[in-house]
Amino acid sequence: MQSKDVPGKPFTVVIDPGHGGQDPGAVYRNIREKDIVLKLGLKLADYIRENMPDVQIVFTRDKDVFIPLHQRAAIANNSHADLFISLHANYCGTPSITGTETFVLGLHRSEENLEVAKKENSVILLEEDYSTRYEGFDPNSSESYIMFEMVQDEYLDQSISMAAFIQDQFKNRAARKDRGVKQAGFLVLRRTSMPSVLIEAGFLSNPGEAQYLNSDEGQSYLASAIYRAFKDYKISVDTRSDYKLVTQQTAQSRTEQISAPVEKGTNTSPAANRKITFSVQLAVISTRIEPTPSNFNGLTPVFVREQNGMFKYFYGRESSYEEILKRKNEAAKHFRDAFITAFELDNQIPLKKALRKSDQ
């Protein structure tokens, strides 16, 4: 099982047990979140090693130590990981609430989701000079979370897919209450450069669920469910990625040679029936706004697509990669995280796949 981004590189998953060291996380009597999620992560790794030996596993922590949020993301990025899984347990003021939920990066749609993000982000208060490192972000201030309104995540679709697999397995394999796939502003997810999810495996504030989370049987069921979800996700990635990707260096060296693809009808080859175009993705937000120049710093044309209840905003549509590079440079003046994406006919596809197809 090799990563499609770099030939010969194994698929790499980062397991991130939350909290640790002087940060116990949520606590119910003598049951601590940091201990539960570490055991859960170790069991998950055992399942993957036993059944998918070609997958490379990287831990942000495999013992009881404190790892700052920015270092957790750096470990994942430096490992060139293909997937990031952050493990947590929930807590709230209503003991009757139970269930699992899996988060992806985005703006919260409810105060409940915001409170979960605040709780997990508050760990940065234990870090030295956190205000400078996180650019003045205050985890306890609702205003700080406005930054996630225009958050840009190239891997949102893959993250949602993995999250959906996890919740399906929790519900159908582990018989847990399904609280769904949600979005919220988690700093650790914002700083990772790969599909990423944050799992809340249950509520320590519920006595029964706390005992389940603290039991070897409960941890085994939950770890097995996450493993099965990972396996389903990996299969889906391999199925979609049945082409061989070139390295980033090779792709960059080819961009100067890429011209507009052959239009339909001018060639009888299968490639001639595929219309490849490039756009600049500006933002993903939870509300729809009119794609007028006044709403996007004068950029035009801007178009919008709805997917999974979120609205994606794109700038330009070019058949030439050279032309979209010009638009990307223009967009980056106003949208720092803008990136180039591609479409085949009307379906968004990975950029590397488009570069390969447009060169056929």
Side-chain angles (χ1 to χ4, degrees), residues 9 12 40 55 57 75 81 93 134 155 170 207 210 212 236 250-251 274:
K9 176 185 175 298
T12 301
L40 190 59
V55 171
I57 301 169
I75 290 170
Y134 297 98
Y155 304 100
F170 278 158
Y212 178 85
S236 74
T250 304
R274 292 195 293 263

Side-chain angles (χ1 to χ4, degrees), residues 83 154-163 195-197 233 237 240:
L83 182 66
E154 182 179 359
Y155 304 100
L156 179 62
D157 293 343
Q158 298 100 309
S159 301
I160 291 174
S161 176
M162 177 61 186
S196 304
V197 296
Y233 172 81
V237 170
R240 291 196 307 268

Side-chain angles (χ1 to χ4, degrees), residues 73-174:
I75 290 170
N77 295 338
N78 293 337
S79 300
H80 303 288
D82 298 280
L83 182 66
F84 179 84
I85 302 175
S86 190
L87 301 171
H88 292 264
N90 221 330
Y91 199 98
C92 74
T94 307
S96 60
I97 293 180
T98 62
T100 65
E101 51 197 13
T102 303
F103 287 87
V104 298
L105 182 64
L107 182 70
H108 60 276
R109 298 194 192 182
S110 70
E111 287 301 314
E112 180 183 8
N113 291 0
L114 173 61
E115 291 306 313
V116 175
K118 283 182 176 181
K119 175 173 66 72
E120 301 299 355
N121 289 335
S122 65
V123 66
I124 69 171
L125 300 178
L126 299 176
E127 302 179 28
E128 294 183 4
D129 199 24
Y130 75 88
S131 182
T132 300
R133 178 174 290 121
Y134 297 98
E135 301 170 337
F137 181 86
D138 180 357
N140 295 318
S141 169
S142 299
E143 287 73 20
S144 285
Y145 290 82
I146 295 174
M147 64 184 286
F148 293 98
E149 173 64 28
M150 296 296 283
V151 71
Q152 181 60 319
D153 185 2
E154 182 179 359
Y155 304 100
L156 179 62
D157 293 343
Q158 298 100 309
S159 301
I160 291 174
S161 176
M162 177 61 186
F165 281 129
I166 292 170
Q167 286 303 122
D168 180 70
Q169 290 292 336
F170 278 158
K171 177 182 178 181
N172 296 314
R173 294 281 184 174

Side-chain angles (χ1 to χ4, degrees), residues 115-343:
E115 291 306 313
V116 175
K118 283 182 176 181
K119 175 173 66 72
E120 301 299 355
N121 289 335
S122 65
V123 66
I124 69 171
L125 300 178
L126 299 176
E127 302 179 28
E128 294 183 4
D129 199 24
Y130 75 88
S131 182
T132 300
R133 178 174 290 121
Y134 297 98
E135 301 170 337
F137 181 86
D138 180 357
N140 295 318
S141 169
S142 299
E143 287 73 20
S144 285
Y145 290 82
I146 295 174
M147 64 184 286
F148 293 98
E149 173 64 28
M150 296 296 283
V151 71
Q152 181 60 319
D153 185 2
E154 182 179 359
Y155 304 100
L156 179 62
D157 293 343
Q158 298 100 309
S159 301
I160 291 174
S161 176
M162 177 61 186
F165 281 129
I166 292 170
Q167 286 303 122
D168 180 70
Q169 290 292 336
F170 278 158
K171 177 182 178 181
N172 296 314
R173 294 281 184 174
R176 311 313 295 166
K177 180 179 178 181
D178 176 18
R179 293 175 55 85
V181 175
K182 301 179 179 180
Q183 287 187 291
F186 294 95
L187 287 175
V188 69
L189 299 186
R190 186 173 189 264
R191 291 186 167 223
T192 55
S193 300
M194 72 284 304
S196 304
V197 296
L198 186 146
I199 299 170
E200 295 285 0
F203 283 81
L204 287 179
S205 47
N206 177 274
E209 197 150 80
Q211 295 300 327
Y212 178 85
L213 288 166
N214 197 43
S215 69
D216 183 72
E217 181 181 21
Q219 293 163 10
S220 295
Y221 271 113
L222 291 170
S224 175
I226 300 170
Y227 155 70
R228 289 175 181 273
F230 170 67
K231 183 178 180 181
D232 289 342
Y233 172 81
K234 184 67 175 64
I235 291 173
S236 74
V237 170
D238 289 341
T239 300
R240 291 196 307 268
S241 306
D242 55 354
Y243 52 90
K244 183 178 180 180
L245 290 175
V246 296
T247 65
Q248 184 177 6
Q249 179 181 4
T250 304
Q252 290 175 341
S253 68
R254 288 170 46 199
T255 58
E256 296 181 357
Q257 306 171 17
I258 294 175
S259 59
V262 178
E263 294 290 337
K264 180 178 180 181
T266 61
N267 192 301
T268 57
S269 69
N273 293 324
R274 292 195 293 263
K275 176 65 174 177
I276 302 295
T277 57
F278 303 96
S279 294
V280 180
Q281 188 164 319
L282 301 175
V284 179
I285 61 178
S286 59
T287 55
R288 191 185 191 285
I289 59 177
E290 288 302 313
T292 58
S294 60
N295 285 333
F296 288 89
N297 297 99
L299 297 179
T300 186
V302 173
F303 63 96
V304 58
R305 293 166 63 98
E306 182 179 4
Q307 185 173 14
N308 297 313
M310 300 296 292
F311 296 91
K312 292 183 175 182
Y313 294 86
F314 302 89
Y315 168 50
R317 195 139 188 181
E318 304 286 352
S319 58
S320 165
Y321 190 83
E322 291 180 347
E323 290 301 316
I324 205 62
L325 277 175
K326 297 177 183 177
R327 289 191 180 269
K328 192 266 184 182
N329 291 335
E330 182 182 1
K333 297 176 184 177
H334 310 288
F335 297 87
R336 184 179 60 183
D337 297 325
F339 63 89
I340 296 174
T341 188
F343 293 87

